[in-house]
């Protein structure tokens, strides 16, 4: 009997070590990693600079309470401000916690403006985490079922539909913020139109709402820019980060600009572990390696190659509904549940994921090279063709 709670339907597969985009299981079998721990391992596995940065920091200081100055946390806040054009960060330990901070920030912002029951607009198929507030913001009945009562204070609208929000704006006076994934990950790799994002930003400006983007999955180089919002030319008030930020050590961030950056005062929010020296050293080194190795360009270029290869390899194949992608965040939507493809890919030595039952999702490490992209295509295209022909 396992002494682990039964929270995951796990593959019968355990990994022992990794190198770049490769992983080896406990039997010594090699796999090409086209998932990167769900957009976490941007630098791939065992990147020597990351290993050195973590080892050296572990030998100096692992933890230090936030009741003291933490210079590495200051440095990471500076670096994120420089890269994003935003102002201030709060560091925590996960994506859900980053979104909790954003939700609390938006509510406090509302109360500071005399709004008694502040509400946040959220999207259909959104994924914001599994804590009670973020689960309530999440647009998945499957994830929410059994955990009622959910939290109030969220208004759900269709994704990528500015008319729907404009309509809600007419009827609701207590809205204080909008929370949007520029690219929905768990929701099936759905990409918000750039014009929609700009219109939403303009609506937020007009109404005095905070424009908040959840970049926990699509941030940190994944879409070919440091942050996905940078494709739009408009600056959010709040952005949340986590997955790729620490290359596997647990770190999340709630980043804010302008008035939003000064909403929290001492005593409003906090964390024991968040922003400690070890994780901040890992995040700083992650961002440094990404710049030195030109990983944004790599994500944009090889993401396009992967997308083009899928388009040509699957052109005209009955059952392929849509192929979507931005950088190295790619989804192939089929007309039927396709979870079985995950095991079939494992049998071929390829790691992929299926989300929303029908969407094959690829999130390879940002260090992936052209040959590895071509290998993903050479394995995945026939797998999907065979699956659909059956
Ligand atoms: C994964 C994810 C989260 C939750 O992050 P955790 O670290 O699992 O809590 C939140 N938002 C988005 C967009 C995600 O992809």
């Amino acid at each position: 009997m396992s002494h682990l709670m039964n929270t995951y339907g796990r593959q019968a597969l355990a990994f022992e070590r990794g190198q770049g985009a490769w992983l080896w299981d406990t039997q010594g079998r090699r796999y090409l990693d086209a998932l990167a721990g769900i957009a976490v391992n941007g630098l791939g596995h065992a990147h020597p600079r990351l290993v050195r940065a973590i080892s050296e920091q572990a030998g100096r200081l692992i933890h230090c309470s936030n009741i003291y100055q933490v210079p590495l946390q200051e440095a990471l806040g500076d670096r994120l401000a420089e890269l994003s054009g935003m102002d201030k960060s709060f560091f925590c330990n996960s994506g859900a916690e980053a979104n909790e901070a954003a939700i609390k920030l938006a509510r406090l912002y509302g109360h500071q403006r005399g709004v008694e029951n502040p509400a946040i607009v959220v999207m259909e198929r959104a994924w914001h985490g599994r804590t009670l507030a973020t689960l309530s913001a999440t647009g998945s009945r499957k994830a929410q079922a059994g955990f009622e009562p959910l939290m109030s204070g969220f208004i759900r609208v269709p994704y990528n539909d500015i008319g729907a929000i404009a309509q809600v704006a007419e009827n609701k006076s207590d809205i204080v913020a909008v929370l949007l994934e520029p690219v929905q990950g768990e929701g099936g790799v759905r990409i918000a139109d750039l014009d929609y994002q700009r219109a939403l930003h303009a609506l937020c400006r007009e109404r005095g709402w905070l424009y908040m983007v959840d970049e926990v999955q699509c941030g940190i180089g994944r879409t070919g820019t440091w942050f996905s919002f940078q494709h739009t030319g408009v600056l959010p008030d709040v952005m949340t980060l986590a997955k790729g930020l620490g290359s596997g050590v647990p770190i999340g961030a709630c980043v804010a600009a302008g008035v939003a950056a000064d909403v929290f005062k001492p005593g409003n929010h906090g964390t024991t572990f968040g922003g400690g020296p070890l994780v901040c050293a890992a995040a700083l080194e992650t961002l440094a390696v990404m710049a030195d190795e030109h990983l944004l360009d790599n994500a944009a270029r090889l993401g396009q190659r992967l997308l083009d290869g899928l388009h040509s390899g699957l052109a005209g194949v009955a059952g392929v509904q849509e192929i979507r992608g931005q950088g190295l965040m790619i989804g192939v939507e089929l007309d039927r549940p396709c979870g079985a493809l995950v095991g079939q890919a494992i049998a071929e030595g390829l790691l992929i994921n299926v989300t929303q039952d029908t969407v094959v999702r690829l999130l390879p490490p940002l260090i992936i090279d052209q040959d590895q992209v071509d290998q993903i295509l050479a394995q995945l295209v026939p797998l999907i063709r065979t699956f659909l022909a059956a």
Side-chain angles (χ1 to χ4, degrees):
M1 183 192 82
S2 169
H3 293 285
L4 299 179
M5 285 196 193
N6 191 21
T7 50
Y8 283 90
R10 297 176 194 266
Q11 299 293 332
L13 187 60
F15 298 108
E16 206 161 65
R17 70 190 174 90
Q19 188 72 59
W22 300 103
L23 278 166
W24 282 264
D25 71 10
T26 44
Q27 317 295 313
R29 204 165 163 250
R30 190 176 80 154
Y31 300 81
L32 181 54
D33 186 2
L35 191 57
I38 312 187
V40 168
N41 302 106
L43 305 187
H45 303 281
H47 193 291
R49 281 184 57 183
L50 182 75
V51 171
R52 195 183 326 123
I54 292 175
S55 312
E56 287 181 3
Q57 187 55 43
R60 274 195 294 271
L61 188 66
I62 292 176
H63 173 71
C64 166
S65 170
N66 281 310
I67 61 180
Y68 305 105
Q69 310 282 321
V70 185
L72 284 163
Q73 190 182 125
E74 298 277 349
L76 183 56
D78 291 349
R79 187 70 181 127
L80 287 178
E82 189 179 12
L83 295 176
S84 67
M86 298 174 73
D87 297 316
K88 297 184 182 178
S89 290
F90 169 81
F91 292 105
C92 51
N93 314 290
S94 68
E97 275 183 65
N99 285 324
E100 284 279 341
I103 292 164
K104 286 180 70 178
L105 189 157
R107 286 187 168 195
L108 193 55
Y109 166 85
H111 283 290
Q112 287 170 357
R113 275 160 185 70
V115 179
E116 248 177 71
N117 286 299
I120 299 172
V121 176
V122 293
M123 305 295 155
E124 289 176 3
R125 291 205 189 89
W127 188 269
H128 299 300
R130 290 190 184 269
T131 62
L132 275 169
T134 59
L135 184 66
S136 305
T138 286
S140 163
R141 273 308 297 156
K142 199 170 130 194
Q144 291 172 338
F147 299 105
E148 298 80 3
L150 297 172
M151 286 189 51
S152 58
F154 297 103
I155 299 169
R156 195 166 309 283
V157 297
Y159 189 68
N160 216 15
D161 181 349
I162 194 70
I165 298 196
Q167 204 177 344
V168 163
E170 293 311 313
N171 305 321
K172 282 277 188 179
S173 57
D174 47 5
I175 296 170
V176 294
V178 173
L179 178 58
L180 171 83
E181 291 159 271
V183 183
Q184 289 186 335
E186 305 308 300
V189 191
R190 289 170 211 280
I191 305 163
D193 295 338
L194 299 186
D195 281 341
Y196 165 77
Q197 295 182 57
R198 293 181 192 117
L200 194 48
H201 175 266
L203 184 65
C204 287
R205 278 287 163 283
E206 182 190 310
R207 299 276 169 162
W209 304 343
L210 297 179
Y211 178 61
M212 310 202 296
V213 291
D214 178 344
E215 298 222 14
V216 168
Q217 189 163 150
C218 64
I220 313 293
R222 183 54 47 194
T223 69
T225 49
W226 285 106
F227 310 104
S228 182
F229 80 77
Q230 289 171 329
H231 295 286
T232 67
V234 298
L235 198 70
D237 298 297
V238 176
M239 167 175 67
T240 54
L241 300 170
K243 291 189 167 87
L245 180 56
S247 297
V249 301
I251 180 169
C254 176
V255 188
V259 287
D262 293 312
V263 168
F264 284 142
K265 297 285 183 287
N268 287 144
H269 198 49
T271 162
T272 296
F273 293 120
L278 186 77
V279 295
C280 287
L284 281 163
E285 192 66 5
T286 297
L287 298 175
V289 171
M290 285 178 62
D292 294 345
E293 298 188 2
H294 310 289
L295 295 187
L296 303 184
D297 286 349
N298 202 60
R301 200 167 47 81
L302 294 183
Q304 193 60 50
R305 185 179 180 91
L306 191 46
L307 194 62
D308 290 345
L310 288 166
H311 273 298
S312 58
L314 295 171
V317 173
V320 176
Q321 301 284 84
E322 197 178 23
I323 302 169
R324 302 183 282 265
Q326 195 179 48
L328 284 170
M329 192 167 180
I330 291 174
V332 181
E333 182 166 2
L334 306 185
D335 67 351
R336 66 199 76 172
C338 59
L341 277 169
V342 173
Q344 293 171 14
I346 285 173
E348 308 247 312
L350 177 67
L351 303 177
I352 60 166
N353 172 253
V354 167
T355 187
Q356 295 281 315
D357 291 333
T358 59
V359 182
V360 177
R361 178 171 50 163
L362 303 176
L363 298 162
L366 307 181
I367 50 92
I368 197 158
D369 67 26
Q370 191 167 304
D371 289 347
Q372 291 163 340
V373 162
D374 292 347
Q375 179 172 336
I376 294 173
L377 289 167
Q379 291 182 305
L380 186 60
V381 166
L383 267 180
I384 292 177
R385 282 174 162 271
T386 307
F387 176 80
L388 289 172

